[in-house]
Amino acid sequence: MSEHKTGPEDQGESIIVTQELTKIYGRGATRVSALKGANIRVRKGELIAVLGPSGSGKTTLLNMIGALDRPTRGRVFIDGVETSKVPERRLYKIRREKLGFIFQTYYLVPTLNALQNVLIPVLPMRENKRYKRRGERLLELVGLKDRMHHKPGELSGGEQQRVAIARALILNPGVILADEPTGNLDTKTGAEIIDLMQRLNKERGKTFIIVTHDSRIAENAERVFYLMDGRLSDVPPEEN
Ligand SMILES: Nc1ncnc2c1ncn2[C@@H]1O[C@H](COP(=O)(O)OP(=O)(O)O)[C@@H](O)[C@H]1O
Ligand SMILES: [Mg+2]
């Protein structure tokens, strides 16, 4: 993949870089310009919040950064690799090795218990013993030592999100991408999830990119970006 690397002068210590990232959905009358040339540069170990109202393009931005969808124009680099140029069949490996994902609705499998859910990403790997112990340690780390064999339906929303966070960590990615991780949680539980993400950032050095309309996340972030109608900025919209 060396042909997709950029020189050090381009990258610095940046683990995620986007250049003029643009996404247009549909065409003709249904054409939506969801992202309009977003430039972002995230250094290793940062916790970044992208704040924006519903429909501003937050999920679109995260999906491009996470290589879950292709940009219409522009470039995305993860750890120096231009993912916007990597063929689909090789992208899954980058996603698995470099990225962990957390979503508003957790996406747990209801018939599996907490530990089994955490182990989903390693199912194809058949190194069950080692990962089972790692999964147990991660569930302890997120405060669910006593809930490992509970199914999602037997867990509160905050506990389900903790399971999802442990699952995001199972393959030890450097970057966690979180799409409205507190969106379905009450204020107190949301604050606990924010605390947990900060702890993982500070103590484990995980890089976080969190897109949200929760201004409390922004208060706890090192840097905040603002997304309005597909335009990304590092100053709040009213100061533009
Ligand atoms: N798959 C899609 N097809 C067409 N339009 C879409 C699609 N996904 C999102 N959009 C539109 O793009 C804009 C940004 O959406 P989204 O990124 O989901 O915003 P947010 O996550 O901030 O709520 C919205 O106007 C939305 O309706
Ligand atoms: Mg969204």
Side-chain angles (χ1 to χ4, degrees):
M1 263 178 269
S2 57
E3 72 269 30
H4 302 312
K5 294 246 178 190
T6 56
E9 70 286 356
D10 255 333
Q11 290 291 306
E13 276 291 298
S14 300
I15 189 156
I16 301 278
V17 176
T18 77
Q19 293 172 352
E20 295 300 321
L21 199 57
T22 302
K23 181 66 177 182
I24 298 166
Y25 294 111
R27 56 168 80 88
T30 59
R31 178 185 154 104
V32 177
S33 215
L35 205 57
K36 300 166 178 164
N39 295 297
I40 197 166
R41 190 173 277 272
V42 181
R43 287 182 293 273
K44 258 180 202 153
E46 277 194 299
L47 189 152
I48 300 284
V50 178
L51 202 56
S54 176
S56 60
K58 299 185 298 296
T59 296
T60 300
L61 174 66
L62 214 61
N63 285 350
M64 303 296 132
I65 291 176
L68 296 170
D69 196 4
R70 299 263 181 199
T72 307
R73 281 194 296 278
R75 311 164 87 186
V76 180
F77 298 88
I78 300 176
D79 234 353
V81 175
E82 185 174 358
T83 54
S84 36
K85 283 207 177 128
V86 174
E88 183 60 38
R89 69 190 144 75
R90 280 196 291 174
L91 268 186
Y92 87 98
K93 192 160 179 283
I94 294 174
R95 280 196 295 262
R96 283 171 63 88
E97 288 174 2
K98 309 244 179 226
L99 305 171
F101 294 89
I102 305 171
F103 302 95
Q104 176 172 2
T105 49
Y106 326 128
Y107 288 131
L108 301 180
V109 177
T111 52
L112 301 180
N113 68 32
L115 181 58
Q116 291 165 331
N117 267 284
V118 169
L119 294 173
I120 287 173
V122 302
L123 280 179
M125 294 173 65
R126 302 260 165 245
E127 294 173 66
N128 292 336
K129 272 253 167 56
R130 182 158 75 89
Y131 279 111
K132 184 163 175 274
R133 273 197 297 278
R134 180 171 165 78
E136 288 165 353
R137 279 204 307 276
L138 286 170
L139 281 168
E140 275 186 56
L141 176 73
V142 300
L144 292 179
K145 189 174 168 38
D146 303 324
R147 295 286 184 279
M148 294 198 192
H149 303 293
H150 287 238
K151 294 193 173 145
E154 302 159 349
L155 298 169
S156 71
E159 289 170 336
Q160 290 182 60
Q161 191 60 297
R162 287 169 191 274
V163 174
I165 291 172
R167 181 183 57 193
L169 296 169
I170 190 75
L171 285 168
N172 200 24
V175 180
I176 306 286
L177 303 176
D179 192 347
E180 310 235 23
T182 61
N184 278 9
L185 302 173
D186 62 73
T187 306
K188 179 171 172 289
T189 310
E192 288 165 5
I193 292 298
I194 296 170
D195 279 352
L196 174 59
M197 292 189 293
Q198 280 194 294
R199 230 178 76 214
L200 294 167
N201 171 251
K202 295 250 146 44
E203 294 171 11
R204 307 259 158 159
K206 300 292 177 194
T207 305
F208 275 84
I209 302 178
I210 307 171
V211 304
T212 182
H213 58 243
D214 184 345
S215 54
R216 290 167 309 158
I217 291 186
E219 286 161 23
N220 288 290
E222 276 162 71
R223 284 197 295 150
V224 183
F225 291 85
Y226 302 87
L227 199 49
M228 277 298 280
D229 195 22
R231 286 186 204 286
L232 190 72
S233 168
D234 57 5
V235 288
E238 52 281 8
E239 293 173 26
N240 273 340

PDB file of all heavy atoms in Angstrom, residues 5-35:
ATOM      1  N   LYS A   5       0.918   6.126   0.556  1.00  0.00           N
ATOM      2  CA  LYS A   5       1.478   6.884   1.697  1.00  0.00           C
ATOM      3  C   LYS A   5       1.813   8.311   1.270  1.00  0.00           C
ATOM      4  O   LYS A   5       2.174   8.564   0.128  1.00  0.00           O
ATOM      5  CB  LYS A   5       2.767   6.207   2.184  1.00  0.00           C
ATOM      6  CG  LYS A   5       2.511   4.840   2.775  1.00  0.00           C
ATOM      7  CD  LYS A   5       2.829   4.843   4.253  1.00  0.00           C
ATOM      8  CE  LYS A   5       2.521   3.479   4.851  1.00  0.00           C
ATOM      9  NZ  LYS A   5       2.580   3.483   6.287  1.00  0.00           N
ATOM     10  N   THR A   6       1.700   9.203   2.210  1.00  0.00           N
ATOM     11  CA  THR A   6       2.151  10.558   1.931  1.00  0.00           C
ATOM     12  C   THR A   6       3.447  10.783   2.700  1.00  0.00           C
ATOM     13  O   THR A   6       3.777  10.024   3.592  1.00  0.00           O
ATOM     14  CB  THR A   6       1.129  11.594   2.412  1.00  0.00           C
ATOM     15  OG1 THR A   6       0.894  11.367   3.781  1.00  0.00           O
ATOM     16  CG2 THR A   6      -0.163  11.489   1.634  1.00  0.00           C
ATOM     17  N   GLY A   7       4.178  11.810   2.315  1.00  0.00           N
ATOM     18  CA  GLY A   7       5.438  12.090   2.987  1.00  0.00           C
ATOM     19  C   GLY A   7       5.221  12.625   4.388  1.00  0.00           C
ATOM     20  O   GLY A   7       4.130  13.074   4.720  1.00  0.00           O
ATOM     21  N   PRO A   8       6.264  12.587   5.228  1.00  0.00           N
ATOM     22  CA  PRO A   8       6.150  13.054   6.600  1.00  0.00           C
ATOM     23  C   PRO A   8       5.773  14.539   6.685  1.00  0.00           C
ATOM     24  O   PRO A   8       5.073  14.943   7.601  1.00  0.00           O
ATOM     25  CB  PRO A   8       7.541  12.798   7.195  1.00  0.00           C
ATOM     26  CG  PRO A   8       8.437  12.499   6.036  1.00  0.00           C
ATOM     27  CD  PRO A   8       7.579  12.062   4.913  1.00  0.00           C
ATOM     28  N   GLU A   9       6.194  15.315   5.695  1.00  0.00           N
ATOM     29  CA  GLU A   9       5.869  16.746   5.721  1.00  0.00           C
ATOM     30  C   GLU A   9       4.357  16.959   5.630  1.00  0.00           C
ATOM     31  O   GLU A   9       3.819  17.935   6.112  1.00  0.00           O
ATOM     32  CB  GLU A   9       6.602  17.487   4.588  1.00  0.00           C
ATOM     33  CG  GLU A   9       6.127  17.192   3.163  1.00  0.00           C
ATOM     34  CD  GLU A   9       6.572  15.818   2.645  1.00  0.00           C
ATOM     35  OE1 GLU A   9       7.314  15.119   3.366  1.00  0.00           O
ATOM     36  OE2 GLU A   9       6.177  15.449   1.532  1.00  0.00           O
ATOM     37  N   ASP A  10       3.681  15.969   5.036  1.00  0.00           N
ATOM     38  CA  ASP A  10       2.231  16.029   4.908  1.00  0.00           C
ATOM     39  C   ASP A  10       1.514  15.655   6.200  1.00  0.00           C
ATOM     40  O   ASP A  10       0.450  16.158   6.513  1.00  0.00           O
ATOM     41  CB  ASP A  10       1.779  15.016   3.845  1.00  0.00           C
ATOM     42  CG  ASP A  10       1.385  15.710   2.563  1.00  0.00           C
ATOM     43  OD1 ASP A  10       0.975  16.870   2.652  1.00  0.00           O
ATOM     44  OD2 ASP A  10       1.501  15.074   1.516  1.00  0.00           O
ATOM     45  N   GLN A  11       2.089  14.705   6.929  1.00  0.00           N
ATOM     46  CA  GLN A  11       1.345  14.010   7.968  1.00  0.00           C
ATOM     47  C   GLN A  11       1.667  14.460   9.382  1.00  0.00           C
ATOM     48  O   GLN A  11       0.784  14.555  10.211  1.00  0.00           O
ATOM     49  CB  GLN A  11       1.619  12.508   7.872  1.00  0.00           C
ATOM     50  CG  GLN A  11       1.006  11.874   6.652  1.00  0.00           C
ATOM     51  CD  GLN A  11      -0.504  11.844   6.736  1.00  0.00           C
ATOM     52  OE1 GLN A  11      -1.062  11.340   7.701  1.00  0.00           O
ATOM     53  NE2 GLN A  11      -1.167  12.429   5.774  1.00  0.00           N
ATOM     54  N   GLY A  12       2.933  14.731   9.678  1.00  0.00           N
ATOM     55  CA  GLY A  12       3.310  15.008  11.050  1.00  0.00           C
ATOM     56  C   GLY A  12       2.900  13.852  11.935  1.00  0.00           C
ATOM     57  O   GLY A  12       3.026  12.705  11.553  1.00  0.00           O
ATOM     58  N   GLU A  13       2.375  14.166  13.121  1.00  0.00           N
ATOM     59  CA  GLU A  13       1.930  13.134  14.047  1.00  0.00           C
ATOM     60  C   GLU A  13       0.455  12.826  13.857  1.00  0.00           C
ATOM     61  O   GLU A  13      -0.167  12.194  14.685  1.00  0.00           O
ATOM     62  CB  GLU A  13       2.179  13.598  15.488  1.00  0.00           C
ATOM     63  CG  GLU A  13       3.579  13.349  15.977  1.00  0.00           C
ATOM     64  CD  GLU A  13       3.876  11.871  16.152  1.00  0.00           C
ATOM     65  OE1 GLU A  13       3.208  11.229  16.978  1.00  0.00           O
ATOM     66  OE2 GLU A  13       4.756  11.372  15.444  1.00  0.00           O
ATOM     67  N   SER A  14      -0.103  13.304  12.756  1.00  0.00           N
ATOM     68  CA  SER A  14      -1.545  13.154  12.566  1.00  0.00           C
ATOM     69  C   SER A  14      -1.906  11.706  12.282  1.00  0.00           C
ATOM     70  O   SER A  14      -1.280  11.055  11.464  1.00  0.00           O
ATOM     71  CB  SER A  14      -2.010  14.029  11.410  1.00  0.00           C
ATOM     72  OG  SER A  14      -1.712  15.378  11.696  1.00  0.00           O
ATOM     73  N   ILE A  15      -2.929  11.237  12.973  1.00  0.00           N
ATOM     74  CA  ILE A  15      -3.372   9.855  12.746  1.00  0.00           C
ATOM     75  C   ILE A  15      -4.562   9.833  11.798  1.00  0.00           C
ATOM     76  O   ILE A  15      -4.747   8.883  11.046  1.00  0.00           O
ATOM     77  CB  ILE A  15      -3.663   9.142  14.088  1.00  0.00           C
ATOM     78  CG1 ILE A  15      -3.901   7.654  13.857  1.00  0.00           C
ATOM     79  CG2 ILE A  15      -4.823   9.748  14.843  1.00  0.00           C
ATOM     80  CD1 ILE A  15      -3.633   6.810  15.071  1.00  0.00           C
ATOM     81  N   ILE A  16      -5.345  10.917  11.813  1.00  0.00           N
ATOM     82  CA  ILE A  16      -6.462  11.067  10.871  1.00  0.00           C
ATOM     83  C   ILE A  16      -6.324  12.426  10.181  1.00  0.00           C
ATOM     84  O   ILE A  16      -6.172  13.447  10.849  1.00  0.00           O
ATOM     85  CB  ILE A  16      -7.828  11.039  11.588  1.00  0.00           C
ATOM     86  CG1 ILE A  16      -8.032   9.728  12.353  1.00  0.00           C
ATOM     87  CG2 ILE A  16      -8.972  11.312  10.605  1.00  0.00           C
ATOM     88  CD1 ILE A  16      -8.496   8.568  11.540  1.00  0.00           C
ATOM     89  N   VAL A  17      -6.382  12.400   8.860  1.00  0.00           N
ATOM     90  CA  VAL A  17      -6.370  13.650   8.100  1.00  0.00           C
ATOM     91  C   VAL A  17      -7.454  13.564   7.030  1.00  0.00           C
ATOM     92  O   VAL A  17      -7.579  12.551   6.347  1.00  0.00           O
ATOM     93  CB  VAL A  17      -5.001  13.881   7.402  1.00  0.00           C
ATOM     94  CG1 VAL A  17      -5.038  15.139   6.537  1.00  0.00           C
ATOM     95  CG2 VAL A  17      -3.881  13.973   8.430  1.00  0.00           C
ATOM     96  N   THR A  18      -8.253  14.618   6.909  1.00  0.00           N
ATOM     97  CA  THR A  18      -9.133  14.709   5.747  1.00  0.00           C
ATOM     98  C   THR A  18      -8.800  15.980   4.992  1.00  0.00           C
ATOM     99  O   THR A  18      -8.409  16.985   5.581  1.00  0.00           O
ATOM    100  CB  THR A  18     -10.635  14.735   6.108  1.00  0.00           C
ATOM    101  OG1 THR A  18     -10.991  16.029   6.584  1.00  0.00           O
ATOM    102  CG2 THR A  18     -10.990  13.691   7.153  1.00  0.00           C
ATOM    103  N   GLN A  19      -8.906  15.886   3.659  1.00  0.00           N
ATOM    104  CA  GLN A  19      -8.636  17.045   2.803  1.00  0.00           C
ATOM    105  C   GLN A  19      -9.819  17.261   1.871  1.00  0.00           C
ATOM    106  O   GLN A  19     -10.157  16.376   1.077  1.00  0.00           O
ATOM    107  CB  GLN A  19      -7.352  16.803   1.986  1.00  0.00           C
ATOM    108  CG  GLN A  19      -6.100  16.754   2.859  1.00  0.00           C
ATOM    109  CD  GLN A  19      -4.871  16.325   2.077  1.00  0.00           C
ATOM    110  OE1 GLN A  19      -4.953  15.919   0.925  1.00  0.00           O
ATOM    111  NE2 GLN A  19      -3.714  16.415   2.730  1.00  0.00           N
ATOM    112  N   GLU A  20     -10.444  18.421   2.029  1.00  0.00           N
ATOM    113  CA  GLU A  20     -11.558  18.810   1.140  1.00  0.00           C
ATOM    114  C   GLU A  20     -12.574  17.680   0.966  1.00  0.00           C
ATOM    115  O   GLU A  20     -13.033  17.391  -0.137  1.00  0.00           O
ATOM    116  CB  GLU A  20     -11.020  19.262  -0.225  1.00  0.00           C
ATOM    117  CG  GLU A  20     -10.180  20.522  -0.166  1.00  0.00           C
ATOM    118  CD  GLU A  20     -10.962  21.719   0.395  1.00  0.00           C
ATOM    119  OE1 GLU A  20     -12.159  21.865   0.082  1.00  0.00           O
ATOM    120  OE2 GLU A  20     -10.362  22.497   1.173  1.00  0.00           O
ATOM    121  N   LEU A  21     -12.916  17.072   2.086  1.00  0.00           N
ATOM    122  CA  LEU A  21     -13.801  15.910   2.048  1.00  0.00           C
ATOM    123  C   LEU A  21     -15.230  16.337   1.702  1.00  0.00           C
ATOM    124  O   LEU A  21     -15.811  17.191   2.363  1.00  0.00           O
ATOM    125  CB  LEU A  21     -13.766  15.226   3.413  1.00  0.00           C
ATOM    126  CG  LEU A  21     -14.238  13.791   3.496  1.00  0.00           C
ATOM    127  CD1 LEU A  21     -13.443  12.899   2.558  1.00  0.00           C
ATOM    128  CD2 LEU A  21     -14.104  13.298   4.927  1.00  0.00           C
ATOM    129  N   THR A  22     -15.752  15.718   0.653  1.00  0.00           N
ATOM    130  CA  THR A  22     -17.047  16.134   0.102  1.00  0.00           C
ATOM    131  C   THR A  22     -17.912  14.912  -0.135  1.00  0.00           C
ATOM    132  O   THR A  22     -17.434  13.906  -0.657  1.00  0.00           O
ATOM    133  CB  THR A  22     -16.816  16.865  -1.246  1.00  0.00           C
ATOM    134  OG1 THR A  22     -15.957  17.980  -1.010  1.00  0.00           O
ATOM    135  CG2 THR A  22     -18.125  17.326  -1.861  1.00  0.00           C
ATOM    136  N   LYS A  23     -19.182  15.005   0.270  1.00  0.00           N
ATOM    137  CA  LYS A  23     -20.099  13.907  -0.013  1.00  0.00           C
ATOM    138  C   LYS A  23     -21.415  14.451  -0.552  1.00  0.00           C
ATOM    139  O   LYS A  23     -22.051  15.306   0.066  1.00  0.00           O
ATOM    140  CB  LYS A  23     -20.380  13.098   1.258  1.00  0.00           C
ATOM    141  CG  LYS A  23     -21.310  11.904   1.041  1.00  0.00           C
ATOM    142  CD  LYS A  23     -20.666  10.839   0.154  1.00  0.00           C
ATOM    143  CE  LYS A  23     -21.562   9.612   0.010  1.00  0.00           C
ATOM    144  NZ  LYS A  23     -20.916   8.563  -0.811  1.00  0.00           N
ATOM    145  N   ILE A  24     -21.785  13.954  -1.707  1.00  0.00           N
ATOM    146  CA  ILE A  24     -23.066  14.309  -2.311  1.00  0.00           C
ATOM    147  C   ILE A  24     -23.869  13.023  -2.444  1.00  0.00           C
ATOM    148  O   ILE A  24     -23.391  12.052  -3.033  1.00  0.00           O
ATOM    149  CB  ILE A  24     -22.862  14.971  -3.693  1.00  0.00           C
ATOM    150  CG1 ILE A  24     -22.063  16.266  -3.531  1.00  0.00           C
ATOM    151  CG2 ILE A  24     -24.201  15.229  -4.379  1.00  0.00           C
ATOM    152  CD1 ILE A  24     -21.517  16.827  -4.836  1.00  0.00           C
ATOM    153  N   TYR A  25     -25.069  13.013  -1.847  1.00  0.00           N
ATOM    154  CA  TYR A  25     -25.957  11.855  -1.991  1.00  0.00           C
ATOM    155  C   TYR A  25     -26.936  12.124  -3.123  1.00  0.00           C
ATOM    156  O   TYR A  25     -27.420  13.242  -3.279  1.00  0.00           O
ATOM    157  CB  TYR A  25     -26.762  11.629  -0.716  1.00  0.00           C
ATOM    158  CG  TYR A  25     -25.966  11.221   0.501  1.00  0.00           C
ATOM    159  CD1 TYR A  25     -25.827  12.087   1.582  1.00  0.00           C
ATOM    160  CD2 TYR A  25     -25.393   9.955   0.599  1.00  0.00           C
ATOM    161  CE1 TYR A  25     -25.129  11.711   2.725  1.00  0.00           C
ATOM    162  CE2 TYR A  25     -24.696   9.572   1.736  1.00  0.00           C
ATOM    163  CZ  TYR A  25     -24.564  10.453   2.797  1.00  0.00           C
ATOM    164  OH  TYR A  25     -23.879  10.083   3.919  1.00  0.00           O
ATOM    165  N   GLY A  26     -27.268  11.099  -3.867  1.00  0.00           N
ATOM    166  CA  GLY A  26     -28.315  11.200  -4.882  1.00  0.00           C
ATOM    167  C   GLY A  26     -27.934  12.124  -6.020  1.00  0.00           C
ATOM    168  O   GLY A  26     -26.793  12.575  -6.134  1.00  0.00           O
ATOM    169  N   ARG A  27     -28.900  12.360  -6.906  1.00  0.00           N
ATOM    170  CA  ARG A  27     -28.658  13.298  -7.998  1.00  0.00           C
ATOM    171  C   ARG A  27     -29.976  13.916  -8.423  1.00  0.00           C
ATOM    172  O   ARG A  27     -31.033  13.492  -7.989  1.00  0.00           O
ATOM    173  CB  ARG A  27     -27.955  12.608  -9.163  1.00  0.00           C
ATOM    174  CG  ARG A  27     -28.673  11.392  -9.728  1.00  0.00           C
ATOM    175  CD  ARG A  27     -28.044  10.975 -11.037  1.00  0.00           C
ATOM    176  NE  ARG A  27     -26.821  10.206 -10.856  1.00  0.00           N
ATOM    177  CZ  ARG A  27     -26.784   8.876 -10.704  1.00  0.00           C
ATOM    178  NH1 ARG A  27     -27.912   8.191 -10.725  1.00  0.00           N
ATOM    179  NH2 ARG A  27     -25.652   8.231 -10.562  1.00  0.00           N
ATOM    180  N   GLY A  28     -29.858  14.944  -9.243  1.00  0.00           N
ATOM    181  CA  GLY A  28     -31.068  15.633  -9.712  1.00  0.00           C
ATOM    182  C   GLY A  28     -31.825  16.251  -8.559  1.00  0.00           C
ATOM    183  O   GLY A  28     -31.223  16.867  -7.677  1.00  0.00           O
ATOM    184  N   ALA A  29     -33.120  16.040  -8.537  1.00  0.00           N
ATOM    185  CA  ALA A  29     -33.983  16.698  -7.545  1.00  0.00           C
ATOM    186  C   ALA A  29     -33.700  16.224  -6.128  1.00  0.00           C
ATOM    187  O   ALA A  29     -33.942  16.949  -5.160  1.00  0.00           O
ATOM    188  CB  ALA A  29     -35.447  16.448  -7.890  1.00  0.00           C
ATOM    189  N   THR A  30     -33.170  14.985  -5.979  1.00  0.00           N
ATOM    190  CA  THR A  30     -32.954  14.446  -4.631  1.00  0.00           C
ATOM    191  C   THR A  30     -31.504  14.622  -4.180  1.00  0.00           C
ATOM    192  O   THR A  30     -31.085  14.072  -3.171  1.00  0.00           O
ATOM    193  CB  THR A  30     -33.297  12.941  -4.581  1.00  0.00           C
ATOM    194  OG1 THR A  30     -32.459  12.253  -5.522  1.00  0.00           O
ATOM    195  CG2 THR A  30     -34.754  12.702  -4.913  1.00  0.00           C
ATOM    196  N   ARG A  31     -30.730  15.378  -4.923  1.00  0.00           N
ATOM    197  CA  ARG A  31     -29.324  15.586  -4.608  1.00  0.00           C
ATOM    198  C   ARG A  31     -29.161  16.325  -3.276  1.00  0.00           C
ATOM    199  O   ARG A  31     -29.767  17.375  -3.046  1.00  0.00           O
ATOM    200  CB  ARG A  31     -28.719  16.407  -5.744  1.00  0.00           C
ATOM    201  CG  ARG A  31     -27.273  16.778  -5.601  1.00  0.00           C
ATOM    202  CD  ARG A  31     -26.919  17.701  -6.768  1.00  0.00           C
ATOM    203  NE  ARG A  31     -25.811  18.556  -6.428  1.00  0.00           N
ATOM    204  CZ  ARG A  31     -24.574  18.366  -6.871  1.00  0.00           C
ATOM    205  NH1 ARG A  31     -24.324  17.367  -7.694  1.00  0.00           N
ATOM    206  NH2 ARG A  31     -23.603  19.171  -6.521  1.00  0.00           N
ATOM    207  N   VAL A  32     -28.344  15.754  -2.381  1.00  0.00           N
ATOM    208  CA  VAL A  32     -28.058  16.387  -1.085  1.00  0.00           C
ATOM    209  C   VAL A  32     -26.558  16.545  -0.933  1.00  0.00           C
ATOM    210  O   VAL A  32     -25.806  15.579  -1.017  1.00  0.00           O
ATOM    211  CB  VAL A  32     -28.595  15.540   0.095  1.00  0.00           C
ATOM    212  CG1 VAL A  32     -28.207  16.184   1.421  1.00  0.00           C
ATOM    213  CG2 VAL A  32     -30.098  15.358   0.020  1.00  0.00           C
ATOM    214  N   SER A  33     -26.120  17.764  -0.709  1.00  0.00           N
ATOM    215  CA  SER A  33     -24.725  18.041  -0.474  1.00  0.00           C
ATOM    216  C   SER A  33     -24.479  17.931   1.031  1.00  0.00           C
ATOM    217  O   SER A  33     -24.651  18.899   1.761  1.00  0.00           O
ATOM    218  CB  SER A  33     -24.439  19.464  -0.970  1.00  0.00           C
ATOM    219  OG  SER A  33     -23.160  19.529  -1.501  1.00  0.00           O
ATOM    220  N   ALA A  34     -24.117  16.746   1.505  1.00  0.00           N
ATOM    221  CA  ALA A  34     -24.086  16.492   2.951  1.00  0.00           C
ATOM    222  C   ALA A  34     -22.788  16.960   3.600  1.00  0.00           C
ATOM    223  O   ALA A  34     -22.753  17.263   4.788  1.00  0.00           O
ATOM    224  CB  ALA A  34     -24.294  15.002   3.227  1.00  0.00           C
ATOM    225  N   LEU A  35     -21.703  17.003   2.835  1.00  0.00           N
ATOM    226  CA  LEU A  35     -20.411  17.425   3.377  1.00  0.00           C
ATOM    227  C   LEU A  35     -19.715  18.261   2.311  1.00  0.00           C
ATOM    228  O   LEU A  35     -19.603  17.847   1.158  1.00  0.00           O
ATOM    229  CB  LEU A  35     -19.590  16.167   3.707  1.00  0.00           C
ATOM    230  CG  LEU A  35     -18.509  16.300   4.768  1.00  0.00           C
ATOM    231  CD1 LEU A  35     -19.088  16.805   6.079  1.00  0.00           C
ATOM    232  CD2 LEU A  35     -17.840  14.945   4.987  1.00  0.00           C
TER     233      LEU A  35
END
